[in-house]
Amino acid sequence: MRRFVKIKALFLVVLLSVATLSILPSFAQIGKFELPSWITDTFTRQFKLGLDLQGGLHLEYSVAVDEALENKLDQMAGELESAFKDKKDVVITTERDGKNALLVRFENPEDIKLATEDVMAVVAGYLEREDDSDLAAQGVIRMTVPDSVIEEAQKAVVGQAIDTVRRRVDAVGVAEPNIYPKNRQVVIELPGVSDTATELRAAANEAANQLMTLLTANGGVQVQGIENRDDPGAIDLRVPGQDARAVIEQVFGAQKLVPQEDGSTLIFDDRLGDEVVILPPDPGAAPDPESVTISLTEAARDEVLDSSSDFRRLLKIIERAAVLEMHMVDDETLFKDTGKPYLQALFDAGFVTQGMGISVAIEDDYGKPDKGAPMVKGPIAFYAMERETLERFFNSLPPEWRIPSTHKVAYGKQPWLLRRNEEPVQLWRTHIIRARADITGDRITTANVGYKSDTGTPQVEVSFDKIGARDVDRMSGDNIGRKMAIIMDDMVVSDPIFNERIPNGNVVITLGSQAGDTLRQQANDLVKVLKSGSLPARLNKEFEIRVGADLGKDSVTRGFKAFLVGLGLVIVFMAIYYRAAGVIAVFALVMNMVLVLAFMALFGATLTLPGIAGVVLTIGMAVDANVIIFERVREFLREGFTARAAIEAGYDRAFTTILDSQLTTAIAGLVLWQYGSGPIRGFAITLLIGIATSIFTGVFATRVFFDWQANRRGFDRVSI
C-alpha cells in the first residue's frame, strides 16, 4: 500500500481543489458575492436550498381518486354504447352501479347474446363480466372493476396528477420545484416563489402609518410603531403615558369599531386602505395598556398577495382540473308526466318565488329546421347573482322533483345589462345538459391562443387527435341545430350551436366579455393547463404554509452554527487525544465535508435543514472510522509491532469493521430515501453521500498521510 504514494497524494490534491471550486458557485449564490467568470463558466452545477432554508410555499393536496374511477367508468360506458351501435347496430343504455360497477341494459333481452368478445374488447382488462342468470334474463349485464385494477388505477391517478402539476409549474417558470407523492396526496414545495413576509410587512406598515397619522392629528398624541416579530402582517403601536385602546376608541368612535367573534376589533374606516383589526391582549403577557397590536385581516392579507405577486395566479393554475368536457344541451326532454321541460315544469309548479334571488328568463328560439333539425321554442333558464344560490335551490327540491340521473344542471356566467350606461354584470345561469360527456379533453393535441376576426378578442383554439376528431365529427353531425355546452372545470364557458358538421376536430372556446389584459391572461393560462394535460381528478387543498425568507435565513444561520460547533468539538478532541494522527483525521474530516457538498452540487441535490443535520451527523461518522483504525494501530503497537507494521495491520483489520458499520447505516438511509417525504429524503441524501465519502477519506485519504511518513528513512515512531 506504500507504493505510488506521490501519485495518490497528487490525486488527493487535485480532487480537493476541484471539489472546492465546484462548491464555490453555490456559496456565492447564497452569500451574494461575485466569482471570477472562469469558475462560474466551468462549474455550472449547484446544490439548491430547500424550502425551509430560502422560504417559499408548501402545499399538500389530496387527489379525489374515487372521482377519477367514476369518470373512467363513464368513459367505458360511452365506448361500450358506441361499440354496440357501430358493430351490432344495437342501442344499449348503461348505468353506473356504485363506484366500481356498470350495468349494461338491452331493450330486447334476447339481444344480450350480441355481447360477444369483439364488442366487449373495448373494456377488456378493466371490467369483468359477472355471471348472473337473473340479470341476464332481464337483458342486463353487470360488469365490475377488480380490486387489483382499482389499486393500480389509484396509483396511476396520483402519478398522473404529479406529472401534470409538474408540467404546469414548469410552464409558469418557477425554478427548482419539489413535487412528490405522499399516500393519496401530492406535496408541492415551491422555494422562493414569493417573499410573502416582505409583502405583508409593507402593507401592515402602510396601514399602521395611516392609523398613526389619524391618531396624532385627532387625538393629539405621539404614537410609536414597532414591527411585530411573530407576525409580518401585524404592527405593535405604543402611546407613551396613555391607554392606547382608549385613544383609538376616542378617535374613531363606537360606530367604526366592530367587535369580532375571536375577540378582536375591526376598525371600519376606508382611510386606512387595508382592513385592520385590534388584536385582544395576550393573556400570557404582562398587561401593558400603553401598547396595542393591530393586524391585517385575512381578507386583507389575501388581497395583498393577489395584487403584489403571481402567488394566487400560480395556485389557480395548479388547482385547475382543466377537464374539458362537451355535453349536449337538452332543452326539449319532458320531465316525467308533466309534459314540460324540466325548468319549465319547476317554474309552473311554483318552486321559484320572489325573494329567492332567482330570476327566470325566456331564451331565444334556436334550431335548424332547414337542415332537418327541430326548432326549440322559448327555452327558459334560471339566473342568480351567486352560483351557490342556484345550487341551494336544486339541492333543496323534494326527491320527486330532482333532475333524472340521465341529465344534470350545469352553470355558466353570462353578462347581463341591468341598467343603461353601466357595465354589464356577470350573472350565473343554468344549462340542462346530458349527464355523460360526449367528448372529453384527454384527446386534445394542441391548444393555442387565437383572436376573433370581427372583434379581435382572445379565444382558445383546440385541436383533437384522430379519435377525438372522429367523435367531434359524429357529435356535430348528429346534432346539427342543437346546442353543445363546453365545460371547463365544472363551469360552462361556451354553449355554441352546431350549424354544420365539424370534420377536422378543431373547436374554439370563447371566454366571455372582460377587460382586454385580463381576458388575454385568462386565455394564456387556459392554454398552459390544456397543454400540460387535464388532472385525472380534482385536487383538494389540505394544507398550506408559507415560509418567509427571514425564517429561512435564520435556519441557515443556526444550522451553520451547529455545524461549526460540532466540527470544532471534534477537532479539539482528536487533536488532544490522538495528537498528530488526530490532525490527519481532522484534515480528512474537512475533505469529507467538501466532498459531500461537491457531490450535492454535482447531482443538483436540495440542501434542507434536515440535510444540514445529516452533514453534522456525517462529521461523527467520518471520525468514527478513524477512531477504529487508530485504536487498532495502538493495539498492535502495544503488542510490539513496528510503526510500519502497526499501520499496515491496523488499516487492514479495521476496514471490514468500518465497511460493515457503514453498510448498516446506508441501508437505513436507503429506506428513508425510498419511503420518506421531502425533509426526510433530504436527510437521507446527505447521509448516503456522507457514508460514501467517509469511507473514502477515512480509509484512503488518511492512509496516504501515514504511508508518506512511513516511506521516510528512519521512520520508527508514529504520533498516535
Side-chain angles (χ1 to χ4, degrees):
M1 292 296 294
R2 295 199 303 269
R3 294 176 296 174
F4 311 111
V5 175
K6 292 183 179 180
I7 296 177
K8 295 176 184 177
L10 179 61
F11 169 73
L12 288 181
V13 172
V14 173
L15 178 63
L16 184 59
S17 301
V18 172
T20 302
L21 291 174
S22 67
I23 65 175
L24 285 179
S26 300
F27 283 104
Q29 183 180 21
I30 297 172
K32 308 298 182 184
F33 60 85
E34 296 291 333
L35 288 174
S37 59
W38 66 270
I39 296 180
T40 55
D41 293 341
T42 305
F43 302 96
T44 57
R45 294 181 176 270
Q46 302 178 16
F47 59 78
K48 300 169 289 187
L49 293 182
L51 182 69
D52 51 358
L53 297 183
Q54 64 169 312
L57 181 65
H58 177 96
L59 299 165
E60 292 186 10
Y61 290 94
S62 62
V63 184
V65 293
D66 292 338
E67 179 180 304
L69 296 178
E70 293 174 359
N71 293 337
K72 182 66 174 179
L73 271 180
D74 289 340
Q75 181 183 344
M76 294 285 100
E79 293 180 3
L80 268 179
E81 291 179 357
S82 299
F84 273 100
K85 183 177 181 181
D86 296 340
K87 296 182 179 181
K88 303 295 183 179
D89 195 24
V90 173
V91 177
I92 64 170
T93 58
T94 55
E95 178 184 349
R96 184 160 25 90
D97 185 17
K99 297 180 179 179
N100 65 337
L102 193 67
L103 297 178
V104 181
R105 300 182 184 275
F106 294 83
E107 293 183 4
N108 184 357
E110 295 183 358
D111 289 341
I112 197 172
K113 62 185 178 182
L114 298 176
T116 53
E117 291 185 3
D118 60 326
V119 184
M120 306 301 286
V122 294
V123 297
Y126 193 84
L127 289 170
E128 291 183 352
R129 180 174 176 175
E130 289 186 354
D131 187 11
D132 192 325
S133 56
D134 293 336
L135 288 177
Q138 303 172 30
V140 178
I141 298 175
R142 190 173 192 272
M143 309 186 74
T144 58
V145 185
D147 293 338
S148 58
V149 175
I150 292 178
E151 185 177 352
E152 292 177 3
Q154 289 174 345
K155 293 180 181 178
V157 167
V158 176
Q160 184 182 345
I162 290 175
D163 292 339
T164 303
V165 169
R166 182 175 287 111
R167 287 194 296 268
R168 292 182 182 182
V169 173
D170 291 341
V172 175
V174 177
E176 303 169 356
N178 186 21
I179 304 170
Y180 55 90
K182 181 181 176 183
N183 297 325
R184 286 192 177 189
Q185 292 181 319
V186 176
V187 180
I188 307 170
E189 293 181 346
L190 305 174
V193 71
S194 176
D195 186 3
T196 56
T198 301
E199 296 165 359
L200 292 175
R201 186 174 291 114
N205 280 327
E206 183 177 350
N209 289 335
Q210 187 64 33
L211 177 59
M212 287 189 291
T213 300
L214 294 174
L215 294 178
T216 302
N218 299 314
V221 295
Q222 295 297 321
V223 186
Q224 301 172 353
I226 306 170
E227 290 186 355
N228 189 294
R229 294 184 177 182
D230 298 328
D231 183 1
I235 297 292
D236 295 328
L237 298 183
R238 188 173 186 81
V239 183
Q242 298 194 45
D243 189 321
R245 290 180 180 272
V247 171
I248 294 176
E249 292 174 358
Q250 178 184 354
V251 170
F252 289 96
Q255 293 182 345
K256 293 187 176 182
L257 299 177
V258 183
Q260 305 295 300
E261 294 182 358
D262 59 358
S264 61
T265 303
L266 174 67
I267 303 179
F268 191 75
D269 196 310
D270 293 337
R271 292 175 294 178
L272 299 180
D274 294 310
E275 286 186 350
V276 296
V277 292
I278 306 172
L279 297 181
D282 185 357
D288 185 5
E290 297 181 359
S291 180
V292 68
T293 300
I294 68 164
S295 171
L296 297 174
T297 64
E298 290 299 324
R301 291 168 188 255
D302 288 341
E303 186 176 350
V304 168
L305 295 176
D306 282 340
S307 60
S308 60
S309 69
D310 290 336
F311 174 77
R312 287 295 173 193
R313 175 174 161 253
L314 175 61
L315 289 188
K316 290 178 181 178
I317 291 177
I318 291 175
E319 295 170 5
R320 289 193 70 170
V323 176
L324 179 67
E325 295 180 340
M326 298 181 183
H327 297 250
M328 291 308 304
V329 174
D330 192 345
D331 289 321
E332 309 162 60
T333 300
L334 304 181
F335 177 64
K336 295 184 177 181
D337 57 354
T338 62
K340 304 171 185 176
Y342 182 60
L343 296 182
Q344 183 73 53
L346 290 178
F347 177 66
D348 291 345
F351 283 100
V352 181
T353 58
Q354 289 186 349
M356 298 178 62
I358 297 177
S359 300
V360 179
I362 301 177
E363 307 287 290
D364 296 333
D365 300 345
Y366 66 88
K368 290 287 181 181
D370 55 326
K371 295 187 178 181
M375 196 74 177
V376 180
K377 296 284 188 178
I380 69 172
F382 294 173
Y383 286 80
M385 291 293 295
E386 302 292 339
R387 174 171 175 161
E388 290 75 12
T389 302
L390 295 171
E391 290 177 339
R392 269 196 312 269
F393 168 77
F394 287 105
N395 291 335
S396 63
L397 290 173
E400 63 272 15
W401 284 91
R402 302 282 176 88
I403 192 168
S405 59
T406 55
H407 293 69
K408 67 179 182 179
V409 183
Y411 307 94
K413 285 185 176 181
Q414 182 170 314
W416 195 276
L417 185 63
L418 297 179
R419 295 181 180 86
R420 293 181 180 180
N421 302 323
E422 290 187 4
E423 291 293 326
V425 297
Q426 297 288 329
L427 297 181
W428 286 91
R429 62 153 294 177
T430 58
H431 300 263
I432 302 301
I433 63 174
R434 295 174 186 169
R436 182 178 301 150
D438 291 84
I439 300 173
T440 57
D442 55 355
R443 295 296 182 183
I444 291 176
T445 56
T446 61
N448 299 288
V449 177
Y451 297 89
K452 290 184 179 179
S453 58
D454 53 346
T455 63
T457 54
Q459 60 188 15
V460 177
E461 299 170 354
V462 178
S463 297
F464 291 84
D465 62 11
K466 184 177 180 179
I467 298 177
R470 182 199 65 191
D471 293 339
V472 171
D473 177 65
R474 173 186 52 80
M475 181 182 182
S476 58
D478 294 345
N479 295 281
I480 292 177
R482 299 182 185 276
K483 282 187 176 183
M484 171 189 65
I486 300 178
I487 298 179
M488 173 67 68
D489 294 342
D490 199 30
M491 184 179 80
V492 177
V493 296
S494 181
D495 61 340
I497 298 174
F498 284 125
N499 293 317
E500 57 187 0
R501 181 183 294 272
I502 304 176
N504 54 10
N506 294 328
V507 176
V508 174
I509 302 176
T510 57
L511 300 175
S513 175
Q514 298 180 24
D517 290 339
T518 302
L519 192 59
R520 191 175 298 109
Q521 185 65 65
Q522 182 181 352
N524 288 329
D525 290 345
L526 180 55
V527 166
K528 287 177 182 177
V529 295
L530 287 177
K531 284 184 174 179
S532 65
S534 63
L535 287 169
R538 287 180 298 105
L539 294 181
N540 301 314
K541 188 186 296 181
E542 301 288 344
F543 182 72
E544 172 187 329
I545 185 172
R546 306 166 198 169
V547 182
D550 291 343
L551 178 60
K553 293 177 181 178
D554 185 59
S555 299
V556 172
T557 302
R558 293 186 178 186
F560 187 66
K561 286 181 179 179
F563 169 76
L564 290 181
V565 170
L567 180 62
L569 292 175
V570 170
I571 289 175
V572 172
F573 171 79
M574 294 298 291
I576 294 176
Y577 194 74
Y578 291 108
R579 293 176 283 185
V583 175
I584 294 174
V586 168
F587 172 81
L589 180 61
V590 174
M591 183 178 183
N592 184 32
M593 296 298 101
V594 175
L595 290 178
V596 169
L597 296 177
F599 274 109
M600 293 189 68
L602 177 64
F603 295 119
T606 301
L607 182 62
T608 62
L609 193 58
I612 293 178
V615 174
V616 175
L617 178 60
T618 302
I619 295 176
M621 294 172 55
V623 171
D624 181 59
N626 288 122
V627 169
I628 295 174
I629 294 172
F630 294 166
E631 290 300 325
R632 280 300 182 99
V633 172
R634 280 182 169 181
E635 180 182 338
F636 289 121
L637 288 174
R638 286 194 294 266
E639 293 179 2
F641 282 61
T642 64
R644 288 188 176 93
I647 292 173
E648 291 277 357
Y651 273 90
D652 291 341
R653 299 287 181 86
F655 178 74
T656 303
T657 303
I658 294 171
L659 185 61
D660 289 345
S661 64
Q662 300 286 22
L663 282 178
T664 54
T665 308
I667 292 173
L670 286 172
V671 173
L672 292 176
W673 179 80
Q674 178 68 29
Y675 299 103
S677 57
I680 303 301
R681 297 188 76 179
F683 173 80
I685 288 173
T686 55
L687 181 63
L688 291 172
I689 294 176
I691 289 172
T693 56
S694 295
I695 295 176
F696 173 77
T697 57
V699 176
F700 179 82
T702 57
R703 179 71 178 268
V704 171
F705 282 90
F706 284 110
D707 287 346
W708 187 282
Q709 291 180 352
N711 280 351
R712 293 183 304 167
R713 291 183 179 179
F715 176 75
D716 59 358
R717 185 174 181 274
V718 58
S719 176
I720 196 170

